């Protein structure tokens, strides 16, 4: 098992985070290509996730790839970018984000980034909404999914799902939210989901994104696109 040397750190919104050139490049890419609500969401996700990691006991903490985690967290929603070069027509937004992160690492990551670490980032982003799978993958994958959930729903509801794994106190969550404010998130989130349902409906039917299509997009329907529709049509009696 690889053990990571402690990275240089800095403090953002009271949370001690790794301070590396690639994390800075990730922050710049997210800042330039997401509106402020999207940028705030990925930063809060990173900070809440890192705040959980900061409380991991040794030796788990030393085995945790905090730089890979940071890059994953900061770039996990590049599939929501307004720069359409990040947004495919034929892949779910999670995969668009994973590909954007992989491309940035290949360009700027340098020698420390072997195939395994790149794949770890790719998996963490691709699986961040797969809450029935992520907890059983590598810890970086599990903590990304959990950190994003914690940022979105808050400490109390996150505890209902993840129990004692949620070690971040309310005051720390609040401080992060004060630095990257949340008002307007509901409308922003809805707008992104509806936009995806209109742009690439085929990529939303099997995904929670399609729930916004069914609720808000006229003419949108999953009927005919579901696994049940296919298998009932093709399987022998
Ligand atoms: C990352 O950016 C911060 C804030 O601009 C800066 O203080 C820090 O020196 C940068 N870190 C690296 C490794 O370049
Ligand atoms: C969109 O992103 C691509 C890839 O990073 C970049 O080359 C291009 O300049 C960006 N376009 C805008 C309008 O920012």
């Amino acid at each position: 098992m690889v053990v990571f040397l402690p990275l240089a750190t800095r403090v953002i919104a009271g949370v001690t985070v790794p301070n590396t050139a690639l994390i800075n490049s990730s922050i710049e890419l997210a800042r330039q290509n997401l509106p402020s609500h999207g940028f705030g969401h990925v930063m809060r996700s990173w900070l809440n996730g890192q705040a959980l990691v900061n409380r991991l006991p040794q030796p788990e903490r030393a085995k945790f790839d905090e730089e890979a985690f940071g890059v994953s967290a900061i770039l996990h929603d590049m599939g929501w970018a307004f720069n359409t070069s990040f947004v495919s027509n034929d892949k779910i937004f999670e995969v668009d984000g994973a590909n954007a992160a992989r491309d940035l690492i290949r360009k700027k990551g340098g020698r420390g980034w072997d195939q395994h670490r790149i794949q770890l980032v790719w998996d963490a982003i691709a699986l961040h909404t797969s809450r029935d799978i992520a907890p059983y993958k590598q810890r970086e994958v599990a903590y990304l999914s959990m950190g994003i959930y914690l940022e979105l729903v808050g400490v109390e509801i996150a505890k209902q799902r993840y129990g004692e794994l949620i070690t971040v106190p309310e005051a720390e969550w609040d401080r992060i939210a004060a630095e990257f404010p949340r008002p307007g998130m509901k409308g922003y989130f809805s707008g992104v989901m509806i936009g995806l349902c209109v742009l690439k409906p085929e990529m939303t039917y099997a995904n929670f994104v399609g729930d916004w299509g069914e609720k808000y997009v006229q003419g949108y329907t999953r009927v005919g696109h579901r696994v049940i529709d296919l298998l009932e049509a093709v399987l022998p009696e």
Side-chain angles (χ1 to χ4, degrees), residues 10 19-21 24:
R10 62 187 174 114
N19 177 6
T20 75
N24 278 2

Side-chain angles (χ1 to χ4, degrees), residues 29 33 83 85-86:
L29 194 71
N33 293 289
N83 180 337
S85 70
F86 295 103

Side-chain angles (χ1 to χ4, degrees), residues 6-20 23-24 27 43-51 53-54 61 66-67 69-70 74 172 176 180:
L7 298 167
T9 59
R10 62 187 174 114
V11 176
I12 304 178
V15 181
T16 301
V17 298
N19 177 6
T20 75
I23 285 185
N24 278 2
I27 294 172
M43 290 299 283
R44 290 189 303 271
S45 298
W46 174 40
L47 295 170
N48 275 290
Q50 182 67 46
V53 172
N54 288 346
R61 175 86 194 272
E66 294 185 28
E67 188 181 40
F69 178 77
I74 297 159
E172 191 162 358
I176 294 166
F180 298 95

Side-chain angles (χ1 to χ4, degrees), residues 3-236:
V3 172
F4 293 92
L5 296 173
L7 298 167
T9 59
R10 62 187 174 114
V11 176
I12 304 178
V15 181
T16 301
V17 298
N19 177 6
T20 75
L22 189 62
I23 285 185
N24 278 2
S25 298
S26 304
I27 294 172
E28 260 338 283
L29 194 71
R31 197 200 305 275
Q32 284 166 8
N33 293 289
L34 292 171
S36 63
H37 282 117
F39 180 68
H41 164 64
V42 299
M43 290 299 283
R44 290 189 303 271
S45 298
W46 174 40
L47 295 170
N48 275 290
Q50 182 67 46
L52 297 170
V53 172
N54 288 346
R55 289 178 172 79
L56 278 175
Q58 296 293 4
E60 287 94 287
R61 175 86 194 272
K63 293 183 205 154
F64 194 97
D65 188 338
E66 294 185 28
E67 188 181 40
F69 178 77
V71 171
S72 307
I74 297 159
L75 298 180
H76 82 267
D77 279 334
M78 292 308 288
W80 298 357
F82 48 62
N83 180 337
T84 49
S85 70
F86 295 103
V87 183
S88 72
N89 289 320
D90 61 348
K91 293 182 271 305
I92 58 173
F93 80 85
E94 293 91 335
V95 168
D96 286 345
N99 286 344
R102 183 192 57 202
D103 292 348
L104 182 75
I105 296 168
R106 283 187 180 154
K107 210 157 66 183
K108 301 220 162 141
R111 280 187 308 139
W113 283 88
D114 59 16
Q115 192 49 40
H116 170 77
R117 290 184 80 204
I118 295 176
Q119 191 66 49
L120 183 61
V121 168
W122 198 95
D123 287 1
I125 298 178
L127 290 170
H128 77 267
T129 61
S130 297
R131 299 195 196 286
D132 299 321
I133 299 175
Y136 310 105
K137 289 274 293 177
Q138 293 96 327
R139 203 166 301 222
E140 292 82 358
V141 179
Y143 272 67
L144 180 60
S145 185
M146 191 159 66
I148 295 165
Y149 191 76
L150 172 58
E151 122 65 7
L152 284 172
V153 306
V155 171
E156 275 322 305
I157 295 175
K159 276 185 179 162
Q160 289 167 21
R161 179 164 194 132
Y162 292 105
E164 63 201 24
L165 291 175
I166 301 297
T167 51
V168 172
E170 296 273 5
E172 191 162 358
W173 189 96
D174 289 345
R175 181 158 178 199
I176 294 166
E179 187 96 6
F180 298 95
R182 285 170 37 102
M185 266 306 284
K186 188 191 276 187
Y188 169 68
F189 199 94
S190 258
V192 171
M193 297 296 118
I194 290 167
L196 291 170
C197 290
V198 172
L199 173 72
K200 44 181 171 182
E202 294 286 345
M203 291 297 112
T204 65
Y205 296 138
N207 190 292
F208 72 94
V209 175
D211 297 342
W212 274 263
E214 288 186 331
K215 188 161 180 186
Y216 296 113
V217 179
Q218 204 180 2
Y220 181 100
T221 178
R222 281 166 160 146
V223 176
H225 306 286
R226 301 165 305 185
V227 174
I228 188 175
D229 300 317
L230 174 65
L231 292 186
E232 287 193 342
V234 301
L235 290 180

